[in-house]
Structures are given as C-alpha cells and as structure tokens.
Amino acid sequence: CISRTKYRKVVPQKQNAMRLCTFHVGRNRLVFGIIGLALLASLTMMNLSVHHEPVTQRRNMRAIRQNFMFGRLGNKLFAIASTIGIARTHGLEPCIAPMYSKDKTLTIFKNIPFCAGDEEKLTVWNIPMFSGSITPEDASDSTTDVEVKGYGCSYTFFEDVEEEILSAFEFTDDLKKVSKEFMDNHKDSIKEDSIKVGIHFRRTDMISFGGLYGPFPGTDFYKHSMKIMREKYGPSVIFLVASDDVEWCKAQDFLQVEDVLFIDQSTVEDFAILKECDHMIIGHGTYGWWAAYLGASQKGGDVMYFQEDIEKPVKNKYFEADKFYLPKWTAVSNAGETEADTVQEVKV
C-alpha cells in the first residue's frame, strides 16, 4: 500500500556524467571530465536525482477500510478520514478498498490512499460510530492486516492528522474549475467583495428517519442563522443555498430574497461550490458537515449548526453531538439563541 502523502523515497539512478564529455578530444577531454565528476559528486552529496519515484513501503500491518461503505458522500468521507486517523494512531499504513477508486463521488478527490489490491487475511476492528477512541485488544499484533468497520462520524478520530485529511480530500482541477465557473457566471450577485455564506438543507432521508439523529431543524433555525450573518457581516453577505430538496427551498418565502442564490447543480458540484464559501449554516447530515469542515472552517469562518442537537436526547443512543460538531463551531437554536462566547452582541 502506498501512502500518497508520506513515505516517499528518492531512488537515485545512475547518472553517467562522464558520458557527457567522452566525445571531447585533446585537452578539452580533461576539462569536461573534471566538470562531470564534480557534477556527479554534487548530486550524490545532495541526494538528488533527475528522476525519482515513490516506493511501496510495506509495514508489518495496514489499516484497510471494509469492502462496503454504506451511505452517500459525507458518510464515505468520515469512513476514509477515520481510517486514516486510526491507522496513524496505531502506527499502521491506511488505505481504502480499491473498488472505491471508481466511485464517482470519490474520484473528485486527488489523494485518497487506495489499496493496491485486496487482502485475504484481516483482523477486524469495529469503530464506535461517534467515539473518538479505539483500543483493540489485538493492536499489538504485527503479523495481521486490519479491516476497520464502522462510520467513525467524529472529528476526534482524525483531529491529530488534519493536514493529511485535507491533502487526501483535495479536489481535482476539473472540479475546482466548476466552482470558479459558477462564481464567474453569477457576477451580478457574487461580487468581488461579497461575503459568501453557504447553507445546506438536508431534508429527504432525514425527514423519513423521524428524529433518529436528533430534533429536525425547523425554518426558524435557518431564519435566525441568516439574520445573525446579516447583522454580523452587513450588506455584502450573499447566501448560496444547496439541498437534496432544492424545489422545497425555492418555495420558501424567507429564501425568496435578493441576497439568496440557489446552487442547484449536481451533488459533487454543489459540494465544491459550498466549500468555496466563507461561512456555513448546516442542518443535519454529514454532507454539510464536510462542506463546512473543508471550506469555511479552514478559513476561520463561522459555522452554525442546530443547537437542539446538543441539548436534547435523541432516539439513536450512539449519536454524540459533542463529538460530531467542532468546539469552535456555533450552536444556534430555533429561538435564535447562540453560544455567547462565539457570537456576541447579536439581537434576534
């Protein structure tokens, strides 16, 4: 398994510098020969090579994702990120089952570490869904490869390897062009000095779950969050709205205003555009979470989520909201109340 972010080794190739000067004759041969030897010595001392390749470094163990990652884009990103985090914690080399290298929702990323092939013998570690710690009894076994199972929907699994996660989830150049083209095509609404606030409405499946992952955020949550953004950042704010039910969004009176723009592209294109936003308002779901984490959160922007997720018990006993949302993000209630230490002097 090759890590695409670490463990690259420069492999010197034979550089026959003397060959460069063998065609010279007479006194010039000696001069060029000396220059060639000096060049060769310099390259050797600096450990440089004209050409180098990554070399597979096979550790004693390797963390490998299970062959079935259930869910859509956000769940898969958590599965990959938690695999990387757990692998690094236990000194293993992370890789993702090669079958996912053809997944259309994952081909938008440049550096996901896919496995070179399948493994027959695997020790299985089950990841708690929302707990950031795992101490398998066989962690010291250095002869068996490992398969990790579970979503791992918590930033605590990978908070210590954030740079590696950001590298793994870097967009392809083609997808970067999509977001740029969207901004360029809407210059009348998105100006150079605009403050872009992304909003993601997760509706379809979350409504059918009936509160399995906490109270469903009502329209008041979004209204109050938008008001906070407007009062904090002024008239330069432009809201970019994405949803798995965009037609419902377009029918809402509070979204039929001049400072709201609907993205309404494909799943991955919406995701790329949301990532470009300066701030984010997210409801339920991992899709909005990752758009906020990869985008606004890395820029130091505000990320607002539904406060009742923290305060009220949920039907799913495995959901731990305090390990799902980052501490620096802001909880906003249906009543418009916010965490005082994060958003201050805002009256709703």
Side-chain angles (χ1 to χ4, degrees), residues 17 25 35 53 82 97-98 174 196 203-204 209 227 236 243 257 275 297 308 323:
V25 293
I35 294 174
E53 298 177 350
S82 63
D174 287 342
K196 300 182 292 294
R203 287 184 51 78
T204 54
F209 287 158
K227 188 170 184 179
S236 296
S243 176
V257 289
K275 178 181 175 292
S297 191
E308 275 74 357
K323 294 180 181 178

Side-chain angles (χ1 to χ4, degrees), residues 276-345:
E276 294 303 309
C277 292
D278 305 301
H279 310 280
M280 277 289 293
I281 300 170
I282 59 175
H284 280 329
T286 55
Y287 180 96
W289 192 100
W290 277 104
Y293 180 83
L294 295 175
S297 191
Q298 300 304 321
K299 300 173 185 177
D302 292 327
V303 177
M304 296 182 176
Y305 64 91
F306 191 42
Q307 186 169 338
E308 275 74 357
D309 272 352
I310 295 288
E311 295 179 344
K312 296 183 179 180
V314 297
K315 296 179 181 179
N316 186 342
K317 64 180 180 179
Y318 300 108
F319 180 74
E320 299 178 41
D322 61 330
K323 294 180 181 178
F324 182 65
Y325 300 110
L326 270 64
K328 64 180 179 180
W329 293 1
T330 304
V332 179
S333 72
N334 270 330
E337 298 172 349
T338 63
E339 295 173 335
D341 59 342
T342 306
V343 179
Q344 300 178 2
E345 298 180 1

Side-chain angles (χ1 to χ4, degrees), residues 85-97:
I86 292 169
R88 296 306 183 200
T89 298
H90 293 283
L92 311 182
E93 188 69 14
C95 76
I96 308 304

Side-chain angles (χ1 to χ4, degrees), residues 83-286:
T83 298
I84 294 173
I86 292 169
R88 296 306 183 200
T89 298
H90 293 283
L92 311 182
E93 188 69 14
C95 76
I96 308 304
M99 63 181 291
Y100 290 105
S101 64
K102 298 180 180 179
D103 188 315
K104 291 182 178 180
T105 61
L106 298 181
T107 56
I108 65 174
F109 302 106
K110 282 186 175 181
N111 303 314
I112 293 176
F114 293 107
C115 307
D118 296 319
E119 295 289 333
E120 295 182 0
K121 186 180 181 182
L122 296 170
T123 298
V124 176
W125 295 353
N126 291 307
I127 309 174
M129 188 168 185
F130 289 98
S131 176
S133 62
I134 178 171
T135 54
E137 294 179 358
D138 53 0
S140 61
D141 182 356
S142 61
T143 61
T144 308
D145 288 336
V146 174
E147 177 182 8
V148 287
K149 288 187 174 181
Y151 286 106
C153 290
S154 172
Y155 69 90
T156 55
F157 282 113
F158 49 85
E159 61 183 335
D160 293 333
V161 291
E162 182 177 69
E163 290 303 317
E164 186 171 0
I165 302 304
L166 296 178
S167 175
F169 297 152
E170 180 184 354
F171 288 152
T172 61
D173 293 340
D174 287 342
L175 192 59
K176 291 176 182 178
K177 290 178 182 178
V178 168
S179 57
K180 184 180 184 304
E181 289 174 359
F182 179 86
M183 303 300 175
D184 291 342
N185 292 336
H186 294 86
K187 286 183 177 179
D188 291 342
S189 300
I190 308 173
K191 300 176 173 59
E192 289 187 5
D193 62 345
S194 290
I195 297 175
K196 300 182 292 294
V197 179
I199 308 180
H200 184 249
F201 290 81
R202 175 76 172 268
R203 287 184 51 78
T204 54
D205 57 342
M206 283 296 176
I207 294 175
S208 64
F209 287 158
L212 183 63
Y213 297 103
F216 194 78
T219 57
D220 284 344
F221 159 73
Y222 294 101
K223 291 177 183 177
H224 290 306
S225 296
M226 292 171 71
K227 188 170 184 179
I228 290 170
M229 291 291 189
R230 288 184 178 114
E231 295 192 2
K232 186 173 183 180
Y233 296 109
S236 296
V237 166
I238 178 73
F239 296 99
L240 305 184
V241 174
S243 176
D244 56 354
D245 190 0
V246 71
E247 294 305 318
W248 176 89
C249 294
K250 291 178 178 179
Q252 303 307 303
D253 291 340
F254 76 99
L255 295 176
Q256 296 177 6
V257 289
E258 291 184 357
D259 61 356
V260 169
L261 183 64
F262 297 99
I263 300 176
D264 199 11
Q265 308 287 312
S266 68
T267 298
V268 295
E269 290 171 341
D270 286 2
F271 189 76
I273 295 166
L274 287 175
K275 178 181 175 292
E276 294 303 309
C277 292
D278 305 301
H279 310 280
M280 277 289 293
I281 300 170
I282 59 175
H284 280 329
T286 55

